[in-house]
Amino acid sequence: AQSFPLCAKSLFRTVKDKHHLKYHGRQQLQLFLKGIGLSLEDAMLFWKTEFCKSMPAEKFEKEHTYAIRHAYGKEGKRVDYTPHTCMKCISANPGPGEHHGCPYKTFGKEALSAALGGLKISARQVSDIVEKASGHHYQLACGMTFE
């Protein structure tokens, strides 16, 4: 997760901390993980391992395995879904308890600074990135974290 973009890192951290994500967050992270090459079997193991820390395995099987298999094109219309684009993440408006979308847009200055502070970038870079995000230049701010 060290090299993940902040949107995926934030979702991944939420799953690890809370052992759950609401639908849109699960969808965004599932497709990201698929896009970076995580196999369906490994995805199923990851989600089951995390979610079963807060729910019985039977509930996980009943409520979540279909959606994971669907994301991989193995259920439903059998569409080979791709990861969300930056614009799709930026256009999301997560509600209370939701964690999907673009953190450069959805996080406040303090939360964004704190999230960026956990990366291996300088305090000056953090300040510049937060300033860029404050100007609604979310993709540029994200790109700056990888410079």
Side-chain angles (χ1 to χ4, degrees):
Q2 186 63 35
S3 299
F4 286 7
L6 193 56
C7 56
K9 185 183 291 288
S10 175
L11 290 168
F12 188 81
R13 189 176 308 121
T14 300
V15 169
K16 292 298 224 174
D17 292 346
K18 299 183 182 211
H19 315 297
H20 189 264
L21 271 177
K22 290 191 175 184
Y23 174 77
H24 293 291
R26 287 194 310 269
Q27 187 181 51
Q28 184 176 329
L29 185 57
Q30 283 169 359
L31 294 175
F32 172 80
L33 293 172
K34 177 187 172 202
I36 63 169
L38 190 68
S39 70
L40 172 58
E41 295 75 23
D42 287 342
M44 200 66 77
L45 179 62
F46 166 73
W47 290 104
K48 187 172 186 173
T49 300
E50 287 306 321
F51 277 35
C52 287
K53 292 176 182 175
S54 66
M55 71 176 62
E58 298 77 30
K59 182 175 181 178
F60 173 83
E61 295 290 337
K62 183 178 179 185
E63 297 181 7
H64 299 288
T65 57
Y66 179 89
I68 296 165
R69 290 179 49 76
H70 188 270
Y72 278 77
K74 303 300 183 191
E75 298 286 355
K77 292 190 269 182
R78 301 193 184 273
V79 173
D80 186 21
Y81 293 99
T82 57
H84 291 345
T85 63
C86 290
M87 288 312 300
K88 182 170 177 95
C89 294
I90 290 167
S91 68
N93 291 304
E98 295 182 308
H99 301 277
H100 64 284
C102 174
Y104 297 93
K105 176 186 174 192
T106 61
F107 287 11
K109 286 183 180 183
E110 287 182 25
L112 183 56
S113 293
L116 292 169
L119 306 178
K120 294 178 180 172
I121 57 176
S122 71
R124 177 69 190 161
Q125 282 177 290
V126 169
S127 175
D128 290 347
I129 291 166
V130 169
E131 183 179 325
K132 190 65 74 177
S134 296
H136 306 285
H137 301 289
Y138 310 119
Q139 285 179 284
L140 294 174
C142 183
M144 290 169 67
T145 63
F146 295 98
E147 291 176 355

